[in-house]
Amino acid sequence: MPIGPYQSPLAFISDAELDAHHASQLVEYQEASPQPAGLKLRGVEKRFGDNQVLRGIDLDVPAGQFVAIVGKSGCGKSTLLRLLVGLDEPTGGRIDFVDDAGRAVEPNSRIVFQEPRLLPWFSVVDNVAVGLGDGVPKAFGRREAERALAGVQLSEKAKDWPSKLSGGQRQRVALARALVSRPGLLALDEPLGALDALTRLGMQDLVTDVWRELGFTAVLVTHDVAEAVHLADRVIVLDEGRISLDLEIPRDRPRRHGDPALAEIEGKLLDTILGKA
Amino acid sequence: MTTVDTFSEGRDIRRIREDRTPSVATDYSNPPKGAAGNVARAGDGQPARSRSFSGSALLPFLLPVTLVIFWQVGSSAGFISDRIMPSPVAVVAAFWERLLSGELARDVGVSGARALSGLLIGGSIGFLLGIANGVSKLSEQLTDTTLQMLRTIPHLAMIPLVILWFGIGEEAKLFLTSLGVLFPIYLNTYHGVKNVDRDLLEMGRIYGMSGWSLFRKVIFPGALPSIFVGLRYALGIMWLTLIVSESIAANSGIGYMANTAREFMMTDVVVLALVIYAVLGKLADVIARTLERAALSWNPAYQDQGE
């Protein structure tokens, strides 16, 4: 999937475009929208009955960093992600959201799942507007949603039903829905896992582009080590509920698919995960 | 005699079956599989095949028209006695006569009003209970078992009791019709709500929906395909109940018209009443289907499916 020149979904709307009412709505709205939220985890634990899934996670993620979490099935990576966005509560330890100066911030976190989870009875643009939450004026919500759709190259599908879209397009709508409210933290739970290989590569570039444009903190959970290495500033390996490796990826962007230096890092990570290191 | 009976009965059964078609996937004994299951059923016309047939719009009418022609020929030739089965022309004549005198409009109006008010009352109660029990655990625990027990009683078995309670007035007909439509709508609404995609509910909560907003944006549209199945099933039961209760005792309505005609051996009017029931039943189903198609246009099963 060729990705054209990226147009920000959130390019500032000029006042001329907006009547007074919408302008005041926008100011209010932008004040509420946070900056990227850094993460501070201290001794985070999660148990389901007798099953302890996370055994004391300590982790600092600076605001705006792109972190990938990899590991075998059942290592607790999805559980960790659900804790980060508040879908579950940790049974021990604490999670704080901080800015660069270490002050506590509201994270305004969003999550993208492996399935797009679009409402089939809403048009594409209305699905994106769901991301703004309730109580947003309809015309304003629609305008924001259209901008977000333009950001994922789907403007021409705005009025379609989700059932008319391909799998990759649906996932782009889900991404636009997550981004339309300008999150400070975006959690990605295997978001590309159900896509075919080529669509996947295109989506990886799109995710990189929106992340660089909007500057949120991104936490990606994936099975695919190559994807983690291609996208992230830093890869964390989870093993039986603990961090077994924390590795920076010191490569500039844009990164090329098949870069030998990245392939070497990938190999090293795979050795760790499979226990050969 | 035998041929004639089979014939008229055949018409009636066919009509009732048509009304009940949607229930096949959602019959009481087989709890519906929810929206997904109903959706699979929804394309009940194999659109691709019938479309490739030229003049497909007329094809469904080939059989009934042929039968009516045979019937008319049989009557004219004297194979079928007028006292047992009137000729189609006689039925049309009876229709015309009653239309001009205004009796027909009155009887159809009275029956239609009875059917509609029964549907409205019973349907509303069933719908509200279905929503409440689908959404609230407490409400479900309080009422579901009771409703499940009550629905196993054939509502027409209540007739003796209903006559004791209400006499033979309008209340009795209203009560029976309401009771009849309540359960299919309740069951299908309840299962529709129960089977709304958990992932979508979780998504809605993540994006800050709760209460009314979650209901309006996720739960109700998700349950709608199943609610429509309930509605179409209820329409069948609605007419059935009305026919029976108007035959017991009434001084107006289509059932009354048919019963009076029977006393005077006016077979043409009796058959006319059957035809009217068939037309009204079909009409109600067409309206329900049109609503369904409009409301569920997002659903691939309802797209590009002209009928």
Side-chain angles (χ1 to χ4, degrees):
Chain A
M1 185 196 314
I3 301 296
Y6 176 71
Q7 193 202 340
S8 164
L10 308 173
F12 190 75
I13 307 169
S14 75
D15 283 341
E17 274 182 78
L18 296 162
D19 55 39
H21 173 71
H22 280 153
S24 69
Q25 286 289 345
L26 182 63
V27 169
E28 198 179 294
Y29 182 58
Q30 286 198 324
E31 276 169 3
S33 76
Q35 333 99 303
L39 296 171
K40 205 164 113 185
L41 277 66
R42 290 293 175 268
V44 170
E45 292 181 6
K46 179 71 183 175
R47 63 164 74 236
F48 297 98
D50 288 341
N51 182 18
Q52 182 146 18
V53 182
L54 295 176
R55 302 158 191 270
I57 304 279
D58 294 310
L59 180 65
D60 285 284
V61 178
Q65 195 175 48
F66 200 131
V67 183
I69 302 173
V70 296
K72 291 180 203 161
S73 294
C75 69
K77 54 193 193 300
S78 286
T79 305
L80 180 58
L81 206 64
R82 292 176 69 87
L83 296 184
L84 293 183
V85 296
L87 281 173
D88 282 322
E89 292 292 319
T91 43
R94 53 181 294 143
I95 300 174
D96 290 305
F97 301 97
V98 290
D99 64 8
D100 287 332
R103 287 171 303 214
V105 291
E106 269 297 309
N108 183 30
S109 51
R110 289 292 184 235
I111 185 164
V112 177
F113 295 98
Q114 182 166 356
E115 332 80 55
R117 301 197 187 182
L118 305 178
L119 296 172
W121 40 84
F122 277 9
S123 68
V124 164
V125 67
D126 287 343
N127 262 294
V128 175
V130 162
L132 290 167
D134 292 328
V136 177
K138 197 155 186 164
F140 173 71
R142 194 163 274 247
R143 191 185 308 215
E144 283 292 290
E146 276 166 6
R147 274 171 201 279
L149 270 180
V152 296
Q153 321 280 323
L154 275 180
S155 289
E156 76 280 14
K157 301 284 185 192
K159 300 235 169 351
D160 286 353
W161 298 120
S163 59
K164 299 265 188 195
L165 304 186
S166 70
Q169 287 171 333
R170 283 178 208 174
Q171 202 57 305
R172 280 194 276 160
V173 176
L175 186 62
R177 180 180 62 194
L179 295 175
V180 70
S181 65
R182 308 161 205 219
L185 170 68
L186 182 66
L188 301 144
D189 192 358
E190 297 264 5
L192 314 181
L195 305 179
D196 67 79
L198 288 176
T199 309
R200 214 178 155 122
L201 296 184
M203 281 290 283
Q204 288 177 3
D205 292 341
L206 181 69
V207 169
T208 310
D209 286 346
V210 289
W211 170 72
R212 292 177 77 187
E213 187 74 31
L214 302 177
F216 50 81
T217 308
V219 182
L220 167 74
V221 156
T222 180
H223 276 113
D224 183 346
V225 177
E227 182 173 286
V229 171
H230 182 72
L231 286 174
D233 295 322
R234 177 180 175 194
V235 178
I236 287 161
V237 179
L238 272 193
D239 189 22
E240 292 181 348
R242 288 194 185 85
I243 294 177
S244 65
L245 183 68
D246 184 345
L247 188 69
E248 301 271 340
I249 313 286
R251 297 293 289 177
D252 287 339
R253 292 185 170 86
R255 292 174 182 166
R256 204 167 53 76
H257 290 283
D259 181 339
L262 290 177
E264 193 178 315
I265 298 171
E266 184 189 337
K268 186 180 160 194
L269 279 166
L270 279 172
D271 286 345
T272 312
I273 295 166
L274 301 173
K276 291 179 191 161
Chain B
M1 178 102 189
T2 347
T3 36
V4 170
D5 270 338
T6 316
F7 187 59
S8 68
E9 221 171 62
R11 281 185 71 89
D12 206 26
I13 285 169
R14 192 164 60 83
R15 189 186 60 70
I16 290 168
R17 266 208 202 125
E18 223 167 82
D19 286 346
R20 285 184 175 181
T21 314
S23 72
V24 174
T26 359
D27 208 346
Y28 287 177
S29 47
N30 306 318
K33 293 180 190 79
N38 300 333
V39 164
R41 172 215 54 87
D44 50 7
Q46 296 151 332
R49 207 180 301 169
S50 70
R51 274 198 160 187
S52 63
F53 232 98
S54 61
S56 63
L58 297 176
L59 204 58
F61 295 99
L62 184 68
L63 188 62
V65 168
T66 315
L67 285 176
V68 169
I69 290 171
F70 272 108
W71 174 14
Q72 178 64 47
V73 168
S75 294
S76 303
F79 295 130
I80 305 171
S81 154
D82 260 5
R83 293 191 46 183
I84 289 160
M85 191 72 179
S87 75
V89 172
V91 174
V92 171
F95 166 75
W96 190 244
E97 185 191 312
R98 294 192 161 245
L99 188 70
L100 289 184
S101 73
E103 282 172 76
L104 190 67
R106 189 191 57 135
D107 286 331
V108 169
V110 165
S111 288
R114 279 175 190 151
L116 219 64
S117 41
L119 178 70
L120 228 61
I121 294 172
S124 306
I125 297 171
F127 176 74
L128 290 177
L129 281 171
I131 297 284
N133 289 2
V135 173
S136 150
K137 196 86 196 151
L138 179 68
S139 169
E140 183 186 2
Q141 284 185 328
L142 278 175
T143 60
D144 186 56
T145 308
T146 312
L147 286 164
Q148 300 288 349
M149 284 195 290
L150 285 178
R151 77 163 171 85
T152 58
I153 304 172
H155 67 292
L156 294 176
M158 302 271 292
I159 285 174
L161 201 54
V162 168
I163 290 177
L164 283 178
W165 287 346
F166 301 107
I168 54 174
E170 289 302 311
E171 297 90 344
K173 297 175 191 67
L174 200 62
F175 180 82
L176 278 174
T177 318
S178 304
L179 196 67
V181 300
L182 194 156
F183 294 111
I185 291 195
Y186 165 71
L187 282 177
N188 284 285
T189 306
Y190 171 68
H191 282 290
V193 172
K194 278 274 161 190
N195 286 306
V196 170
D197 190 342
R198 299 282 121 191
D199 284 354
L200 288 184
L201 288 175
E202 190 183 60
M203 185 282 295
R205 293 207 180 91
I206 292 170
Y207 284 103
M209 293 180 205
S210 59
W212 172 241
S213 143
L214 191 68
F215 175 76
R216 190 169 55 86
K217 292 182 178 168
V218 183
I219 296 172
F220 180 69
L224 205 53
S226 181
I227 294 172
F228 270 111
V229 171
L231 176 67
R232 290 180 60 187
Y233 188 37
L235 288 176
I237 292 191
M238 175 187 84
W239 290 118
L240 183 83
T241 314
L242 198 68
I243 294 167
V244 172
S245 55
E246 282 187 347
S247 305
I248 300 164
N251 49 20
S252 60
I254 307 166
Y256 165 75
M257 181 179 99
N259 264 315
T260 320
R262 173 181 55 82
E263 285 172 22
F264 296 103
M265 295 292 278
M266 295 159 73
T267 47
D268 50 350
V269 178
V270 175
V271 173
L272 175 64
L274 295 181
V275 173
I276 289 171
Y277 276 129
V279 169
L280 287 179
K282 182 67 188 168
L283 193 70
D285 194 53
V286 166
I287 293 171
R289 272 186 189 230
T290 311
L291 284 177
E292 188 178 40
R293 198 155 296 159
L296 304 181
S297 58
W298 52 266
N299 191 324
Y302 293 89
Q303 284 161 11
D304 305 318
Q305 197 189 316
E307 238 189 35

